[in-house]
Amino acid sequence: QNTFFQILFSQMSRVMATQAMLLAVGVGTKQTVPLAAVTAWVLKDGIGHIVAIAFGTFINQRFDSDPKRFRFQAATLGKLADSVSILTLHWPQYFLPLSALGGAFSRLSANTGASCRPKIYETFALSSNLGDIMRCMTAQTTAAQLLGTAMGAAVG
């Protein structure tokens, strides 16, 4: 149940962060320069992926040692990613560094969360039913993401 609400609110903040970044880069205004907006978006995603890969290689051996701690850190990093991305609306002149940093935090959060998830789910599988656990968690995650996206769009 707590996971559902964490995913719900994560999705809501992700939608609001994306809306803020799109407004910061000029999408939705008459001053939009589409090619510049697309270039900045591709650059921020590329930089985010590179940072996440580089950082992930340094800690990739430790996820199984304390999956709950790393999962909590992943959730916290996801909130930080959304917060940094929302700042682009306040400082559009710093769109690329702020959005790249937010993207890197977001990728790190996703990678860390995904790396910890199997070990955590393994603890729920008491009857060798890991497949059933995964199916239930996937359904719960999808429902929370759909609801969070709708709520984030309504709030934003």
Side-chain angles (χ1 to χ4, degrees), residues 13 17 24 33 52 56 60-61 72 95 119 121 132-133 150 152-153:
S13 65
V33 180
N60 67 353
Q61 300 295 321
F72 177 76
F95 175 81
K119 193 69 172 172
Y121 289 169
D132 289 336
I133 302 292

Side-chain angles (χ1 to χ4, degrees), residues 11-153:
Q11 196 66 23
M12 284 178 62
S13 65
R14 194 160 296 128
V15 168
M16 290 186 290
T18 301
Q19 288 173 343
M21 287 191 303
L22 287 170
L23 289 171
V25 81
V27 173
T29 66
K30 294 192 187 312
Q31 306 146 345
T32 301
V33 180
L35 186 57
V38 168
T39 302
W41 203 268
V42 169
L43 280 173
K44 73 111 182 146
D45 279 348
I47 292 168
H49 283 298
I50 290 168
V51 170
I53 290 168
F55 186 77
T57 59
F58 293 114
I59 61 169
N60 67 353
Q61 300 295 321
R62 296 185 231 155
F63 292 124
D64 285 343
S65 65
D66 193 356
K68 288 181 184 177
R69 179 174 60 102
F70 280 111
R71 180 65 186 109
F72 177 76
Q73 290 174 349
T76 303
L77 202 52
K79 295 292 138 264
L80 181 61
D82 293 339
S83 298
V84 170
S85 297
I86 289 171
L87 289 176
T88 61
L89 188 57
H90 192 301
W91 293 303
Q93 67 272 25
Y94 299 114
F95 175 81
L96 187 57
L98 286 173
S99 62
L101 184 62
F105 287 160
S106 180
R107 301 292 179 269
L108 286 171
S109 172
N111 291 350
T112 302
S115 298
C116 297
R117 204 167 289 126
K119 193 69 172 172
I120 293 171
Y121 289 169
E122 188 178 80
T123 64
F124 295 134
L126 301 176
S127 305
S128 297
N129 61 341
L130 186 58
D132 289 336
I133 302 292
M134 296 295 292
R135 177 190 49 79
C136 290
M137 294 305 286
T138 301
Q140 180 180 353
T141 298
T142 302
Q145 288 174 335
L146 287 170
L147 188 57
T149 299
M151 292 172 70

